[in-house]
Structure formats: structure tokens, C-alpha cells
Amino acid sequence: MFRPSPKTSLFQDLPIRLISTVLLILALVVSVLLLFSLEHEKVVVQGLSEGKDLPSGFLSGLWQSRYDMLVMTLLLFLLGSIGIAAVITFQHYSSTRRTLEEVKGLARNILESIPTGVITVNSSGHVTAVNPAATVTLKRSTDTLLGQSYEDVFIERDMIRLVLDGALQNHRHVDHHDMPYDTNGQPRTIRVTTADLTGDDGRSAGVIVLLKDVTELLNLERRVRVADKLAGLHTLSAGVAHELRNPLSAIDLNLHLFEEELRAGTQTLSTMDKYLHVLNAETRRLSAILDNFMKFARPGSLRFHPIDTEQLLSHIMSLLQYEAQDRRIQLIAKATDTLPALRGDETEISQVLVNVIVNAFQAMPEGGVCHVLAKAIKTDENEWVELTVQDSGVGIKKEELARLFEPFYTTKTAGSGLGLAIAYRIVQDHGGTIQVSSTPGVGTTVIILLPAVPVTQGAWVRDR
């Protein structure tokens, strides 16, 4: 927008205050001259009438002279006013015209400078404006576009023509719609946006079309996605190798020791039992690692159904209460008076809450307070349940926050780095969001937003 549209009025183009001031000054000058003229006549009449009788027609002639002088004064006043008003109006018109030309020039320069192609089509279907970026995008000259009907410019099955047909005939617009476009035998992808072009009266005067050649951009995005997948694969491979190396090394070492005992013939039942116990423990550890990895990489089928939010939270609190007491942590759960039912898989959502709360416990090695808050949130179209887990632990550094949900990334020495990654995947599969904020030395807050079913629940407020 170049400037706001001025409010229309009867004398919007005339400088009323300036003209009024000039007219008042002119009227004052004429009035002073008229007064001087009347005083002069009065003095003359008095001088002639001293001791003499005036002719009978003298007074009537004098009054006629005054009338004529008054009429001439008014005529001069009107002519002067009209002349001044004409000069001021002409100057104002010239200034307005210069300003209009400057605005038109600014609009033209902006239209020619922006890198996005712009085409305007009036209500009758003729192209009224084209900027250089549009000619470059369409690989056509301005002469072949400007003033032509869009039906003549674009062939019948042309994608841009189909978009213009929908916009002009049915007022159906597109927003950042990518479509294939063939320019001189070279396939390209053009991003098109259309909108109504309104006139000064506020009514539709046509359609404005924005064109952007995004062929190279989409190719770059594809390369970035491939690079991200390769980087993710590298991270997963490194993480799996790191997690599997430790139990495999323990198994290999104990098998080697067990083999030496067998060769030496000095094995006893207790030593054999010790080796077998280590082998079983490390095998179970390998199985757990692979189960978590498969759960992250290929989550099982979810069974969505209404979940009683009150019972779910009560179950989680009861499940983790003993561990909290063991760690000298005060676990406090609170909720709003009315909690709608959650829509999702109860087992998966329980795993999310357990993973997040256990992470909070591990962030408070010296004990502390963990708050679990639940409340209902309504938007224009949906209802949600917001679950907040807040701890008073050591916190997370700012540079580590961005990597929290990466698989196999952990800040704990004994962590696998899959807990939060699995929680993130489950929340995404439920159509929700999970956000983490933290201040080192103060604590961490995790906010989980999950879709709800509009079901009235009783109050659930429990402090432990």
C-alpha cells in the first residue's frame, strides 16, 4: 500500500483555510478603502454646505456615486477573490498531479523490481499489467501478454488458464499452488497465487496473479531431504552400534572366560551359574535395545478410543509414587475441575507420560519437586488436554534442547537416548505436540498437547 485512501469530501482538493485567509485580508483592504472614500465625501459635502444652499440634485447624485462605488468595490472584491482562488487551485492541482505521478512512478518501480511475477487481468479477461519477472517466468515478451485476452495467451489446457478460469468465473482462488509448466519444451514448476483485484469502489475489478519459478528451489529441497535422511541413517547406525557394542562385548568376554574354564576343567557350579547369569542379562539387554529401536523406527498400529483422563493420570501417579519417594522427590499432580476424555491409545500415551516423568526424576539426583498439571483447552474447532510435567532439576543447556528428540542422543551416562524420541513419535502419531523449555539450575518444563473427546468428567484434584 503506497498511501491510505483519502476520505472524499466536497472541497477535498481546495485549501479552504488558505483561501479564507486571503479573502478576509482582501475584504479588510477593500473595506478600509471604502471607509476612506466615504470620509472624503463627507468632508467635501461639509465644505460645500457651509453657509450655502446645496442644489436640489446634488444629494441624489452623491448617493448614486456612492452606490456606483460600492458596486465597483464588490465587483473588484469578487474578481480578486476568483483570481486568487484560481491561482491557489491551480497550484494545488499541480502539486497533486506531481504527487500522483510520483506515486505512479513508485508503484511502477516496485512492480518492476520485485522478483515475483505479477500479472493483472481485468473483468473482461484482458491482461492489464505485466512485470519483468512474469515475462522471465513465462518466457514470453510483454507485447505478447499486455492488452491480450488471457484465453488467447494461454492455450485451452494450460494450467494457468485453468486457474484464471476458476478465479474470474467462479471466484475460486489458489494459494501457493505448485503446477507443472512447459516453457519452450523445458518442464518447470511454477508456484501460483491468485487474488481478487479490487477497484476504488471496493468491487472486484479483475484478478491478480503471482508467479514464481520454484523448480530449482524444489530440487534443492529434495536434496536437503535426502541429505537429512542420510544424516539420520548415519545417526541411527552409530547409535545402534554404540548401544549394541557394550552388551556384545560383555557376552564375548564371558563366553571367552567360560571357554577357558571348560578347557582347564576347573569350572564349578557357582562359576558356571555366574557366567550364565551375565549372558542372560546381556541378552535381555540386547533384546530391550532392539525392541525400543523397532518401536521408534516402526511403531505398532494404534487403537484410538476414548480414554478416561482422570483414571489414566491416577494410574500413572500410583505407578510412579514409590519411585518418587525412593528418590526423595515430592510428586504433585493437579488438574482443572473438568477434564475431557483423551482420544488415543492408552498404552502409548501412558508410555509417553512415564518416559517424561522418569526423565524428570533423573534430572533431580538430590531430590526435588515434580509437578504434573492437566487442563482442558478449547480452540475454534477442537478440544485438547494439556499435560505439563515440571521439575526442579539441573535443567538442560540451550544448545542441547534442539537435539532432545533425536534418537540415541542423551545427556545421561546410562541413558539410551530413545525415551524422548519414542515419546515424540507417539505424540505426533496422535496428532498432538510436545514442547520442552528449560533453564539450567532451575528446572525443565515439558508441555504435551493431545486431542480430546468432548466428554464431561468429574473433578480430579489430587496432591501427593
Side-chain angles (χ1 to χ4, degrees), residues 248-264:
L248 287 175
S249 298
I251 291 174
D252 180 67
L253 175 62
N254 282 271
L255 284 175
H256 180 70
L257 294 175
F258 187 53
E259 182 183 7
E260 289 184 350
E261 292 279 349
L262 289 175
R263 287 179 179 177

PDB file of all heavy atoms in Angstrom, residues 248-264:
ATOM      1  N   LEU A 248      27.367 -56.789  23.639  1.00  0.00           N
ATOM      2  CA  LEU A 248      28.073 -57.796  22.853  1.00  0.00           C
ATOM      3  C   LEU A 248      29.481 -58.021  23.396  1.00  0.00           C
ATOM      4  O   LEU A 248      29.974 -59.162  23.425  1.00  0.00           O
ATOM      5  CB  LEU A 248      28.129 -57.372  21.378  1.00  0.00           C
ATOM      6  CG  LEU A 248      26.812 -57.483  20.601  1.00  0.00           C
ATOM      7  CD1 LEU A 248      26.985 -56.923  19.187  1.00  0.00           C
ATOM      8  CD2 LEU A 248      26.344 -58.932  20.539  1.00  0.00           C
ATOM      9  N   SER A 249      30.144 -56.955  23.826  1.00  0.00           N
ATOM     10  CA  SER A 249      31.482 -57.101  24.411  1.00  0.00           C
ATOM     11  C   SER A 249      31.424 -57.905  25.701  1.00  0.00           C
ATOM     12  O   SER A 249      32.294 -58.760  25.962  1.00  0.00           O
ATOM     13  CB  SER A 249      32.087 -55.714  24.679  1.00  0.00           C
ATOM     14  OG  SER A 249      32.231 -54.995  23.467  1.00  0.00           O
ATOM     15  N   ALA A 250      30.396 -57.626  26.514  1.00  0.00           N
ATOM     16  CA  ALA A 250      30.255 -58.383  27.765  1.00  0.00           C
ATOM     17  C   ALA A 250      29.989 -59.857  27.481  1.00  0.00           C
ATOM     18  O   ALA A 250      30.544 -60.763  28.147  1.00  0.00           O
ATOM     19  CB  ALA A 250      29.126 -57.784  28.605  1.00  0.00           C
ATOM     20  N   ILE A 251      29.140 -60.151  26.487  1.00  0.00           N
ATOM     21  CA  ILE A 251      28.854 -61.546  26.127  1.00  0.00           C
ATOM     22  C   ILE A 251      30.113 -62.242  25.619  1.00  0.00           C
ATOM     23  O   ILE A 251      30.432 -63.388  25.991  1.00  0.00           O
ATOM     24  CB  ILE A 251      27.727 -61.590  25.072  1.00  0.00           C
ATOM     25  CG1 ILE A 251      26.395 -61.146  25.692  1.00  0.00           C
ATOM     26  CG2 ILE A 251      27.588 -62.987  24.478  1.00  0.00           C
ATOM     27  CD1 ILE A 251      25.258 -61.028  24.694  1.00  0.00           C
ATOM     28  N   ASP A 252      30.852 -61.553  24.749  1.00  0.00           N
ATOM     29  CA  ASP A 252      32.072 -62.135  24.192  1.00  0.00           C
ATOM     30  C   ASP A 252      33.090 -62.426  25.286  1.00  0.00           C
ATOM     31  O   ASP A 252      33.724 -63.500  25.301  1.00  0.00           O
ATOM     32  CB  ASP A 252      32.650 -61.174  23.161  1.00  0.00           C
ATOM     33  CG  ASP A 252      33.919 -61.716  22.527  1.00  0.00           C
ATOM     34  OD1 ASP A 252      33.830 -62.731  21.797  1.00  0.00           O
ATOM     35  OD2 ASP A 252      35.005 -61.144  22.775  1.00  0.00           O
ATOM     36  N   LEU A 253      33.256 -61.482  26.226  1.00  0.00           N
ATOM     37  CA  LEU A 253      34.220 -61.671  27.304  1.00  0.00           C
ATOM     38  C   LEU A 253      33.837 -62.853  28.191  1.00  0.00           C
ATOM     39  O   LEU A 253      34.684 -63.700  28.525  1.00  0.00           O
ATOM     40  CB  LEU A 253      34.328 -60.394  28.134  1.00  0.00           C
ATOM     41  CG  LEU A 253      35.221 -60.472  29.378  1.00  0.00           C
ATOM     42  CD1 LEU A 253      36.672 -60.771  28.977  1.00  0.00           C
ATOM     43  CD2 LEU A 253      35.148 -59.169  30.176  1.00  0.00           C
ATOM     44  N   ASN A 254      32.568 -62.934  28.569  1.00  0.00           N
ATOM     45  CA  ASN A 254      32.154 -64.015  29.460  1.00  0.00           C
ATOM     46  C   ASN A 254      32.185 -65.369  28.763  1.00  0.00           C
ATOM     47  O   ASN A 254      32.487 -66.398  29.392  1.00  0.00           O
ATOM     48  CB  ASN A 254      30.748 -63.739  29.995  1.00  0.00           C
ATOM     49  CG  ASN A 254      30.746 -62.718  31.121  1.00  0.00           C
ATOM     50  OD1 ASN A 254      30.885 -63.074  32.289  1.00  0.00           O
ATOM     51  ND2 ASN A 254      30.618 -61.449  30.772  1.00  0.00           N
ATOM     52  N   LEU A 255      31.874 -65.405  27.454  1.00  0.00           N
ATOM     53  CA  LEU A 255      32.000 -66.661  26.718  1.00  0.00           C
ATOM     54  C   LEU A 255      33.457 -67.116  26.647  1.00  0.00           C
ATOM     55  O   LEU A 255      33.759 -68.317  26.751  1.00  0.00           O
ATOM     56  CB  LEU A 255      31.424 -66.500  25.301  1.00  0.00           C
ATOM     57  CG  LEU A 255      29.898 -66.494  25.190  1.00  0.00           C
ATOM     58  CD1 LEU A 255      29.469 -66.200  23.757  1.00  0.00           C
ATOM     59  CD2 LEU A 255      29.322 -67.841  25.649  1.00  0.00           C
ATOM     60  N   HIS A 256      34.358 -66.168  26.472  1.00  0.00           N
ATOM     61  CA  HIS A 256      35.790 -66.493  26.419  1.00  0.00           C
ATOM     62  C   HIS A 256      36.260 -67.042  27.763  1.00  0.00           C
ATOM     63  O   HIS A 256      36.986 -68.064  27.819  1.00  0.00           O
ATOM     64  CB  HIS A 256      36.585 -65.249  26.042  1.00  0.00           C
ATOM     65  CG  HIS A 256      38.067 -65.484  25.969  1.00  0.00           C
ATOM     66  ND1 HIS A 256      38.663 -66.248  24.977  1.00  0.00           N
ATOM     67  CD2 HIS A 256      39.084 -65.058  26.790  1.00  0.00           C
ATOM     68  CE1 HIS A 256      39.955 -66.283  25.169  1.00  0.00           C
ATOM     69  NE2 HIS A 256      40.239 -65.570  26.278  1.00  0.00           N
ATOM     70  N   LEU A 257      35.857 -66.394  28.855  1.00  0.00           N
ATOM     71  CA  LEU A 257      36.239 -66.876  30.184  1.00  0.00           C
ATOM     72  C   LEU A 257      35.624 -68.246  30.472  1.00  0.00           C
ATOM     73  O   LEU A 257      36.269 -69.131  31.068  1.00  0.00           O
ATOM     74  CB  LEU A 257      35.815 -65.867  31.242  1.00  0.00           C
ATOM     75  CG  LEU A 257      36.522 -64.503  31.194  1.00  0.00           C
ATOM     76  CD1 LEU A 257      35.915 -63.558  32.222  1.00  0.00           C
ATOM     77  CD2 LEU A 257      38.021 -64.684  31.461  1.00  0.00           C
ATOM     78  N   PHE A 258      34.372 -68.399  30.030  1.00  0.00           N
ATOM     79  CA  PHE A 258      33.700 -69.674  30.254  1.00  0.00           C
ATOM     80  C   PHE A 258      34.392 -70.801  29.471  1.00  0.00           C
ATOM     81  O   PHE A 258      34.538 -71.939  29.966  1.00  0.00           O
ATOM     82  CB  PHE A 258      32.232 -69.543  29.846  1.00  0.00           C
ATOM     83  CG  PHE A 258      31.400 -70.743  30.174  1.00  0.00           C
ATOM     84  CD1 PHE A 258      31.372 -71.272  31.460  1.00  0.00           C
ATOM     85  CD2 PHE A 258      30.638 -71.376  29.200  1.00  0.00           C
ATOM     86  CE1 PHE A 258      30.597 -72.389  31.761  1.00  0.00           C
ATOM     87  CE2 PHE A 258      29.879 -72.490  29.491  1.00  0.00           C
ATOM     88  CZ  PHE A 258      29.851 -72.996  30.781  1.00  0.00           C
ATOM     89  N   GLU A 259      34.839 -70.489  28.263  1.00  0.00           N
ATOM     90  CA  GLU A 259      35.558 -71.459  27.442  1.00  0.00           C
ATOM     91  C   GLU A 259      36.878 -71.870  28.105  1.00  0.00           C
ATOM     92  O   GLU A 259      37.251 -73.053  28.115  1.00  0.00           O
ATOM     93  CB  GLU A 259      35.807 -70.877  26.057  1.00  0.00           C
ATOM     94  CG  GLU A 259      36.515 -71.840  25.098  1.00  0.00           C
ATOM     95  CD  GLU A 259      36.801 -71.209  23.761  1.00  0.00           C
ATOM     96  OE1 GLU A 259      36.562 -69.976  23.614  1.00  0.00           O
ATOM     97  OE2 GLU A 259      37.261 -71.927  22.848  1.00  0.00           O
ATOM     98  N   GLU A 260      37.596 -70.892  28.675  1.00  0.00           N
ATOM     99  CA  GLU A 260      38.860 -71.208  29.359  1.00  0.00           C
ATOM    100  C   GLU A 260      38.604 -72.094  30.578  1.00  0.00           C
ATOM    101  O   GLU A 260      39.390 -73.008  30.873  1.00  0.00           O
ATOM    102  CB  GLU A 260      39.570 -69.916  29.763  1.00  0.00           C
ATOM    103  CG  GLU A 260      40.147 -69.150  28.579  1.00  0.00           C
ATOM    104  CD  GLU A 260      40.937 -67.927  29.039  1.00  0.00           C
ATOM    105  OE1 GLU A 260      40.858 -67.584  30.241  1.00  0.00           O
ATOM    106  OE2 GLU A 260      41.619 -67.335  28.193  1.00  0.00           O
ATOM    107  N   GLU A 261      37.528 -71.818  31.299  1.00  0.00           N
ATOM    108  CA  GLU A 261      37.193 -72.659  32.463  1.00  0.00           C
ATOM    109  C   GLU A 261      36.918 -74.104  32.021  1.00  0.00           C
ATOM    110  O   GLU A 261      37.329 -75.068  32.679  1.00  0.00           O
ATOM    111  CB  GLU A 261      35.970 -72.082  33.176  1.00  0.00           C
ATOM    112  CG  GLU A 261      36.219 -70.753  33.860  1.00  0.00           C
ATOM    113  CD  GLU A 261      36.886 -70.930  35.213  1.00  0.00           C
ATOM    114  OE1 GLU A 261      36.969 -72.077  35.695  1.00  0.00           O
ATOM    115  OE2 GLU A 261      37.349 -69.929  35.773  1.00  0.00           O
ATOM    116  N   LEU A 262      36.206 -74.232  30.889  1.00  0.00           N
ATOM    117  CA  LEU A 262      35.898 -75.580  30.405  1.00  0.00           C
ATOM    118  C   LEU A 262      37.163 -76.321  29.988  1.00  0.00           C
ATOM    119  O   LEU A 262      37.324 -77.524  30.243  1.00  0.00           O
ATOM    120  CB  LEU A 262      34.921 -75.503  29.232  1.00  0.00           C
ATOM    121  CG  LEU A 262      33.488 -75.090  29.568  1.00  0.00           C
ATOM    122  CD1 LEU A 262      32.662 -74.947  28.289  1.00  0.00           C
ATOM    123  CD2 LEU A 262      32.827 -76.127  30.489  1.00  0.00           C
ATOM    124  N   ARG A 263      38.066 -75.651  29.307  1.00  0.00           N
ATOM    125  CA  ARG A 263      39.315 -76.280  28.875  1.00  0.00           C
ATOM    126  C   ARG A 263      40.189 -76.679  30.058  1.00  0.00           C
ATOM    127  O   ARG A 263      40.848 -77.729  30.044  1.00  0.00           O
ATOM    128  CB  ARG A 263      40.083 -75.352  27.956  1.00  0.00           C
ATOM    129  CG  ARG A 263      39.458 -75.218  26.563  1.00  0.00           C
ATOM    130  CD  ARG A 263      40.253 -74.253  25.713  1.00  0.00           C
ATOM    131  NE  ARG A 263      39.680 -74.140  24.366  1.00  0.00           N
ATOM    132  CZ  ARG A 263      40.136 -73.318  23.429  1.00  0.00           C
ATOM    133  NH1 ARG A 263      41.192 -72.524  23.710  1.00  0.00           N
ATOM    134  NH2 ARG A 263      39.579 -73.286  22.245  1.00  0.00           N
ATOM    135  N   ALA A 264      40.220 -75.801  31.043  1.00  0.00           N
ATOM    136  CA  ALA A 264      41.053 -76.094  32.210  1.00  0.00           C
ATOM    137  C   ALA A 264      40.427 -77.165  33.098  1.00  0.00           C
ATOM    138  O   ALA A 264      41.117 -77.776  33.935  1.00  0.00           O
ATOM    139  CB  ALA A 264      41.319 -74.827  33.011  1.00  0.00           C
TER     140      ALA A 264
END
